[in-house]
Amino acid sequence: MPQTDKQICIPPELPELLKQFTKAAIRTQPQDLIQWASDYFGAMSRGDIPPVRDTSERISLSNWAELTPELLKILHSRVAGRLIIHAEELAQIWKVLNLPTDLFNSVMNVGRFTEEIEWLKFLALACSSLGVTIAKTLEIVCEVLSCDRDSGPPRIPFSTFQFLYTYIAEVDGEISASHVSRMLNYIEQEVIGPDGLIKVNDFTQNPRVRLE
């Protein structure tokens, strides 16, 4: 009789391979992700250096505006406080701001977003294209989401920071869940004030806070 419950063996190196592929896709932001993926894995199978853009490189397309925190603030304001936004609407807003379509497609693919997009997750990944490190990415996110537009350092609710840090660390894949939990517990118990807000200096200038 044919076997219907044959066990599927997952190669032990697969999770690490997929993690490195995901990080390379975020850095490179290919215009054609499928073709780039084919080139990437083809190079890996041959033992060649894969086509990965260095983190110091910036997107430079003559027909498109360069993504900046200021443009992300405008994008965030047009989402108008919604937690979920439809992909078609977000793509249209992105186009109106004249932002690179390849970056939009890259964020959509890395985040595995479909028709309904969790806005904060999309924003976090968009900010990661500007931030070389997780701490820098979170700094940019704080600037975009800041409760204090005109006075004082950027601040956001700790609950929002907790959600974003956990998600970015999960996508990055190199930080253990236990480390994320320790850092969040320390920040919540030792750093956050009675207002429940966290400011950039709380995690960029505190030597005991190591986000990565």
Side-chain angles (χ1 to χ4, degrees):
M1 295 181 64
Q3 289 184 324
T4 58
D5 58 346
K6 186 177 180 180
Q7 184 176 5
I8 299 175
C9 296
I10 300 176
E13 64 272 22
L14 182 60
E16 177 64 22
L17 181 65
L18 293 177
K19 178 179 71 175
Q20 294 304 324
F21 168 76
T22 299
K23 294 181 66 176
I26 293 175
R27 290 197 299 269
T28 305
Q29 298 163 13
Q31 186 169 5
D32 186 339
L33 182 63
I34 295 177
Q35 181 59 53
W36 179 84
S38 176
D39 295 340
Y40 177 92
F41 287 113
M44 294 287 288
S45 67
R46 296 189 301 270
D48 297 334
I49 298 175
V52 180
R53 176 176 294 159
D54 186 82
T55 54
S56 63
E57 293 181 322
R58 282 185 172 272
I59 299 171
S60 179
L61 301 175
S62 58
N63 295 329
W64 301 97
E66 183 177 352
L67 185 66
T68 64
E70 288 71 27
L71 284 172
L72 285 172
K73 287 180 184 179
I74 295 173
L75 189 67
H76 179 61
S77 69
R78 297 192 180 183
V79 173
R82 286 173 287 175
L83 297 178
I84 303 293
I85 183 170
H86 286 280
E88 184 177 350
E89 181 184 359
L90 183 55
Q92 182 59 33
I93 298 173
W94 191 274
K95 183 178 180 180
V96 168
L97 294 177
N98 207 34
L99 293 171
T101 54
D102 61 339
L103 176 55
F104 180 84
N105 293 334
S106 178
V107 173
M108 288 290 292
N109 280 290
V110 171
R112 298 180 182 180
F113 300 119
T114 53
E115 291 186 7
E116 293 189 340
I117 299 171
E118 289 187 66
W119 169 240
L120 287 182
K121 289 185 176 181
F122 185 96
L123 178 62
L125 293 182
C127 288
S128 73
S129 70
L130 301 176
V132 177
T133 65
I134 289 180
K136 183 61 178 178
T137 296
L138 288 167
E139 182 178 343
I140 295 170
V141 173
C142 280
E143 182 180 345
V144 173
L145 299 177
S146 177
C147 307
D148 306 289
R149 297 294 183 184
D150 302 315
S151 62
R155 301 187 302 166
I156 63 173
F158 174 71
S159 57
T160 302
F161 176 88
Q162 183 177 32
F163 173 82
L164 292 168
Y165 176 38
T166 302
Y167 176 66
I168 295 171
E170 180 182 331
V171 173
D172 179 84
E174 293 190 355
I175 306 173
S176 68
S178 60
H179 177 82
V180 172
S181 179
R182 284 197 305 272
M183 288 299 97
L184 289 172
N185 286 337
Y186 172 75
I187 293 172
E188 184 175 24
Q189 295 174 16
E190 305 293 337
V191 178
I192 300 301
D195 58 6
L197 299 176
I198 183 171
K199 57 182 181 294
V200 169
N201 292 349
D202 290 336
F203 60 87
T204 59
Q205 297 185 14
N206 188 324
R208 293 191 60 184
V209 177
R210 296 170 24 255
L211 300 181
E212 48 210 307

